PDB file of all heavy atoms in Angstrom:
ATOM      1  N   ARG A 290     137.536 158.469 132.754  1.00 97.00           N
ATOM      2  CA  ARG A 290     138.598 158.555 133.707  1.00 97.00           C
ATOM      3  C   ARG A 290     139.772 157.672 133.223  1.00 97.00           C
ATOM      4  O   ARG A 290     139.540 156.508 132.810  1.00 97.00           O
ATOM      5  CB  ARG A 290     138.142 158.025 135.051  1.00 97.00           C
ATOM      6  CG  ARG A 290     137.043 158.849 135.648  1.00 97.00           C
ATOM      7  CD  ARG A 290     136.908 158.375 137.068  1.00 97.00           C
ATOM      8  NE  ARG A 290     135.537 158.508 137.481  1.00 97.00           N
ATOM      9  CZ  ARG A 290     135.027 157.990 138.575  1.00 97.00           C
ATOM     10  NH1 ARG A 290     135.830 157.293 139.412  1.00 97.00           N
ATOM     11  NH2 ARG A 290     133.813 158.177 138.964  1.00 97.00           N
ATOM     12  N   PRO A 291     141.001 158.097 133.355  1.00 96.00           N
ATOM     13  CA  PRO A 291     142.101 157.374 132.756  1.00 96.00           C
ATOM     14  C   PRO A 291     142.512 156.151 133.652  1.00 96.00           C
ATOM     15  O   PRO A 291     143.287 155.328 133.204  1.00 96.00           O
ATOM     16  CB  PRO A 291     143.254 158.400 132.721  1.00 96.00           C
ATOM     17  CG  PRO A 291     142.895 159.395 133.754  1.00 96.00           C
ATOM     18  CD  PRO A 291     141.410 159.444 133.832  1.00 96.00           C
ATOM     19  N   SER A 292     142.102 156.162 134.925  1.00 93.00           N
ATOM     20  CA  SER A 292     142.439 154.975 135.771  1.00 93.00           C
ATOM     21  C   SER A 292     143.934 154.712 135.833  1.00 93.00           C
ATOM     22  O   SER A 292     144.403 153.667 135.533  1.00 93.00           O
ATOM     23  CB  SER A 292     141.698 153.745 135.272  1.00 93.00           C
ATOM     24  OG  SER A 292     140.319 153.956 135.228  1.00 93.00           O
ATOM     25  N   ILE A 293     144.683 155.725 136.221  1.00 96.00           N
ATOM     26  CA  ILE A 293     146.098 155.574 136.378  1.00 96.00           C
ATOM     27  C   ILE A 293     146.416 154.885 137.695  1.00 96.00           C
ATOM     28  O   ILE A 293     146.044 155.380 138.745  1.00 96.00           O
ATOM     29  CB  ILE A 293     146.846 156.905 136.294  1.00 96.00           C
ATOM     30  CG1 ILE A 293     146.587 157.531 134.895  1.00 96.00           C
ATOM     31  CG2 ILE A 293     148.288 156.769 136.539  1.00 96.00           C
ATOM     32  CD1 ILE A 293     147.100 158.939 134.722  1.00 96.00           C
ATOM     33  N   ALA A 294     147.096 153.751 137.674  1.00 95.00           N
ATOM     34  CA  ALA A 294     147.364 153.005 138.869  1.00 95.00           C
ATOM     35  C   ALA A 294     148.818 153.246 139.365  1.00 95.00           C
ATOM     36  O   ALA A 294     149.170 152.890 140.508  1.00 95.00           O
ATOM     37  CB  ALA A 294     147.111 151.507 138.647  1.00 95.00           C
ATOM     38  N   TRP A 295     149.704 153.671 138.461  1.00 96.00           N
ATOM     39  CA  TRP A 295     151.091 153.978 138.845  1.00 96.00           C
ATOM     40  C   TRP A 295     151.568 155.094 137.958  1.00 96.00           C
ATOM     41  O   TRP A 295     151.267 155.158 136.744  1.00 96.00           O
ATOM     42  CB  TRP A 295     151.931 152.724 138.575  1.00 96.00           C
ATOM     43  CG  TRP A 295     153.377 152.863 139.051  1.00 96.00           C
ATOM     44  CD1 TRP A 295     153.865 152.314 140.158  1.00 96.00           C
ATOM     45  CD2 TRP A 295     154.469 153.517 138.384  1.00 96.00           C
ATOM     46  NE1 TRP A 295     155.221 152.616 140.295  1.00 96.00           N
ATOM     47  CE2 TRP A 295     155.576 153.325 139.216  1.00 96.00           C
ATOM     48  CE3 TRP A 295     154.543 154.232 137.208  1.00 96.00           C
ATOM     49  CZ2 TRP A 295     156.877 153.838 138.869  1.00 96.00           C
ATOM     50  CZ3 TRP A 295     155.821 154.777 136.902  1.00 96.00           C
ATOM     51  CH2 TRP A 295     156.918 154.593 137.729  1.00 96.00           C
ATOM     52  N   GLN A 296     152.261 156.116 138.523  1.00 96.00           N
ATOM     53  CA  GLN A 296     152.776 157.255 137.741  1.00 96.00           C
ATOM     54  C   GLN A 296     154.167 157.604 138.273  1.00 96.00           C
ATOM     55  O   GLN A 296     154.326 157.687 139.506  1.00 96.00           O
ATOM     56  CB  GLN A 296     151.822 158.376 137.766  1.00 96.00           C
ATOM     57  CG  GLN A 296     152.326 159.592 136.886  1.00 96.00           C
ATOM     58  CD  GLN A 296     151.291 160.693 136.761  1.00 96.00           C
ATOM     59  OE1 GLN A 296     150.140 160.483 137.070  1.00 96.00           O
ATOM     60  NE2 GLN A 296     151.691 161.852 136.310  1.00 96.00           N
ATOM     61  N   GLY A 297     155.043 157.854 137.407  1.00 96.00           N
ATOM     62  CA  GLY A 297     156.434 158.285 137.888  1.00 96.00           C
ATOM     63  C   GLY A 297     157.321 158.687 136.749  1.00 96.00           C
ATOM     64  O   GLY A 297     156.982 158.601 135.618  1.00 96.00           O
ATOM     65  N   ASP A 298     158.487 159.197 137.088  1.00 96.00           N
ATOM     66  CA  ASP A 298     159.473 159.630 136.104  1.00 96.00           C
ATOM     67  C   ASP A 298     159.958 158.458 135.315  1.00 96.00           C
ATOM     68  O   ASP A 298     160.047 157.342 135.867  1.00 96.00           O
ATOM     69  CB  ASP A 298     160.585 160.346 136.841  1.00 96.00           C
ATOM     70  CG  ASP A 298     161.588 160.917 135.816  1.00 96.00           C
ATOM     71  OD1 ASP A 298     161.332 162.057 135.360  1.00 96.00           O
ATOM     72  OD2 ASP A 298     162.592 160.164 135.439  1.00 96.00           O
ATOM     73  N   TRP A 299     160.331 158.636 134.062  1.00 95.00           N
ATOM     74  CA  TRP A 299     160.780 157.521 133.255  1.00 95.00           C
ATOM     75  C   TRP A 299     162.005 156.815 133.694  1.00 95.00           C
ATOM     76  O   TRP A 299     162.264 155.742 133.265  1.00 95.00           O
ATOM     77  CB  TRP A 299     160.791 157.882 131.754  1.00 95.00           C
ATOM     78  CG  TRP A 299     161.825 158.890 131.313  1.00 95.00           C
ATOM     79  CD1 TRP A 299     162.466 159.860 132.078  1.00 95.00           C
ATOM     80  CD2 TRP A 299     162.332 159.044 129.990  1.00 95.00           C
ATOM     81  NE1 TRP A 299     163.310 160.566 131.311  1.00 95.00           N
ATOM     82  CE2 TRP A 299     163.310 160.125 130.080  1.00 95.00           C
ATOM     83  CE3 TRP A 299     162.089 158.404 128.802  1.00 95.00           C
ATOM     84  CZ2 TRP A 299     164.000 160.534 128.879  1.00 95.00           C
ATOM     85  CZ3 TRP A 299     162.866 158.840 127.689  1.00 95.00           C
ATOM     86  CH2 TRP A 299     163.737 159.870 127.701  1.00 95.00           C
ATOM     87  N   HIS A 300     162.781 157.460 134.603  1.00 94.00           N
ATOM     88  CA  HIS A 300     163.882 156.749 135.187  1.00 94.00           C
ATOM     89  C   HIS A 300     163.409 155.545 136.012  1.00 94.00           C
ATOM     90  O   HIS A 300     164.194 154.639 136.242  1.00 94.00           O
ATOM     91  CB  HIS A 300     164.725 157.666 136.122  1.00 94.00           C
ATOM     92  CG  HIS A 300     165.524 158.698 135.338  1.00 94.00           C
ATOM     93  ND1 HIS A 300     165.026 159.932 135.011  1.00 94.00           N
ATOM     94  CD2 HIS A 300     166.804 158.604 134.826  1.00 94.00           C
ATOM     95  CE1 HIS A 300     165.977 160.577 134.282  1.00 94.00           C
ATOM     96  NE2 HIS A 300     167.087 159.804 134.194  1.00 94.00           N
ATOM     97  N   ARG A 301     162.146 155.595 136.419  1.00 95.00           N
ATOM     98  CA  ARG A 301     161.606 154.487 137.256  1.00 95.00           C
ATOM     99  C   ARG A 301     160.919 153.420 136.405  1.00 95.00           C
ATOM    100  O   ARG A 301     160.033 152.704 136.868  1.00 95.00           O
ATOM    101  CB  ARG A 301     160.670 155.065 138.281  1.00 95.00           C
ATOM    102  CG  ARG A 301     161.351 155.960 139.279  1.00 95.00           C
ATOM    103  CD  ARG A 301     160.340 156.734 140.148  1.00 95.00           C
ATOM    104  NE  ARG A 301     159.466 155.882 140.864  1.00 95.00           N
ATOM    105  CZ  ARG A 301     158.306 156.233 141.407  1.00 95.00           C
ATOM    106  NH1 ARG A 301     157.937 157.474 141.238  1.00 95.00           N
ATOM    107  NH2 ARG A 301     157.545 155.386 142.047  1.00 95.00           N
ATOM    108  N   VAL A 302     161.281 153.326 135.116  1.00 94.00           N
ATOM    109  CA  VAL A 302     160.630 152.422 134.265  1.00 94.00           C
ATOM    110  C   VAL A 302     160.680 151.005 134.730  1.00 94.00           C
ATOM    111  O   VAL A 302     159.761 150.161 134.564  1.00 94.00           O
ATOM    112  CB  VAL A 302     161.203 152.519 132.794  1.00 94.00           C
ATOM    113  CG1 VAL A 302     162.650 152.140 132.728  1.00 94.00           C
ATOM    114  CG2 VAL A 302     160.362 151.654 131.807  1.00 94.00           C
ATOM    115  N   GLY A 303     161.789 150.612 135.345  1.00 93.00           N
ATOM    116  CA  GLY A 303     161.963 149.233 135.804  1.00 93.00           C
ATOM    117  C   GLY A 303     160.847 148.884 136.855  1.00 93.00           C
ATOM    118  O   GLY A 303     160.243 147.808 136.831  1.00 93.00           O
ATOM    119  N   GLU A 304     160.683 149.832 137.746  1.00 94.00           N
ATOM    120  CA  GLU A 304     159.700 149.665 138.811  1.00 94.00           C
ATOM    121  C   GLU A 304     158.260 149.514 138.225  1.00 94.00           C
ATOM    122  O   GLU A 304     157.465 148.603 138.582  1.00 94.00           O
ATOM    123  CB  GLU A 304     159.743 150.885 139.692  1.00 94.00           C
ATOM    124  CG  GLU A 304     158.938 150.935 140.919  1.00 94.00           C
ATOM    125  CD  GLU A 304     159.074 152.339 141.538  1.00 94.00           C
ATOM    126  OE1 GLU A 304     160.198 152.957 141.446  1.00 94.00           O
ATOM    127  OE2 GLU A 304     158.075 152.807 142.115  1.00 94.00           O
ATOM    128  N   ALA A 305     157.962 150.387 137.221  1.00 93.00           N
ATOM    129  CA  ALA A 305     156.680 150.308 136.607  1.00 93.00           C
ATOM    130  C   ALA A 305     156.426 148.991 135.823  1.00 93.00           C
ATOM    131  O   ALA A 305     155.408 148.343 135.941  1.00 93.00           O
ATOM    132  CB  ALA A 305     156.520 151.501 135.609  1.00 93.00           C
ATOM    133  N   ALA A 306     157.445 148.601 135.101  1.00 91.00           N
ATOM    134  CA  ALA A 306     157.325 147.342 134.346  1.00 91.00           C
ATOM    135  C   ALA A 306     157.110 146.146 135.248  1.00 91.00           C
ATOM    136  O   ALA A 306     156.291 145.255 135.007  1.00 91.00           O
ATOM    137  CB  ALA A 306     158.563 147.117 133.465  1.00 91.00           C
TER     138      ALA A 306
END
Side-chain angles (χ1 to χ4, degrees):
Chain A
R290 299 192 210 167
S292 305
I293 298 173
W295 188 99
Q296 181 172 347
D298 185 85
W299 66 337
H300 287 90
R301 294 169 59 198
V302 62
E304 186 185 326

